[in-house]
Amino acid sequence: SAVISQKPSRDICQRGTSLTIQCQVDSQVTMMFWYRQQPGQSLTLIATANQGSEATYESGFVIDKFPISRPNLTFSTLTVSNMSPEDSSIYLCSVVWENPNQPQHFGDGTRLSIL
Amino acid sequence: QKEVEQNSGPLSVPEGAIASLNCTYSDRVSQSFFWYRQYSGKSPELIMSIYSNGDKEDGRFTAQLNKASQYVSLLIRDSQPSDSATYLCAVKKGAQKLVFGQGTRLTINP
């Protein structure tokens, strides 16, 4: 089956710094998304990563804080900017493989801790 | 009212019994529903999708959908200790956005 790879798998960062998370898939996908899962909580959609154009952000999430790129059909990045302890979460990439009506599948996630 | 609601549990079921997980949703026009399993420290894994009223079976798993009652459930037959995980109900909103419930933590006791 197709593979969704996220890097890094985990990191510990200082407040005020930024971290870029990569999501790479081994075949072309129609849609890519970024989610956040705060400790003990469920998943919340941050944004839809659009190929070749600006991401579509959900309410409560802004581009200055979470810039997203998607230069092609197999790769996307999420940057968490000017981090604070409240940004400590798991960040997950998800994809829809071919038909937009198909379910989403998740990468392994990036576990981020901010000191 | 939350868009997708689940009982957070924990739900404890003896091995070999049927585990029943429930989910309600608020948007009456929703058409697509999913159950994901998430082991501790892991990412969510899709186990069932359902789009029509009624039951959908896949091995030991059965998803049930009742759109009139805005209710989705997941039954796990012959529960195994390896089924111990958090089960997330997700409802598709719009073209592709998924809204997740809080998840139900299930423990299967040997």
Side-chain angles (χ1 to χ4, degrees), chain B residues 9-11 16 21 37 50 57 66 74 76-78 83-84 89:
Chain B
L11 176 64
L21 304 162
R37 178 176 62 198
I50 187 165
E57 187 174 316
N66 183 324
L74 179 70
I76 307 174
R77 290 182 300 281
D78 187 23
D83 295 326
S84 297
C89 173

Side-chain angles (χ1 to χ4, degrees), chain B residues 33-96:
Chain B
F33 307 88
F34 308 93
W35 284 99
Y36 288 83
R37 178 176 62 198
Q38 187 173 26
Y39 291 115
S40 180
K42 300 294 185 182
S43 64
E45 172 192 11
L46 178 72
I47 54 172
M48 289 288 285
S49 57
I50 187 165
Y51 307 98
S52 305
N53 277 328
D55 294 0
K56 178 182 178 182
E57 187 174 316
D58 184 0
R60 296 187 295 112
F61 298 97
T62 298
Q64 299 175 318
L65 175 60
N66 183 324
K67 291 184 180 179
S69 301
Q70 296 174 236
Y71 178 88
V72 192
S73 66
L74 179 70
L75 302 178
I76 307 174
R77 290 182 300 281
D78 187 23
S79 297
Q80 303 296 311
S82 59
D83 295 326
S84 297
T86 296
Y87 289 80
L88 299 165
C89 173
V91 177
K92 191 159 82 171
K93 183 174 180 179
Q96 259 296 342

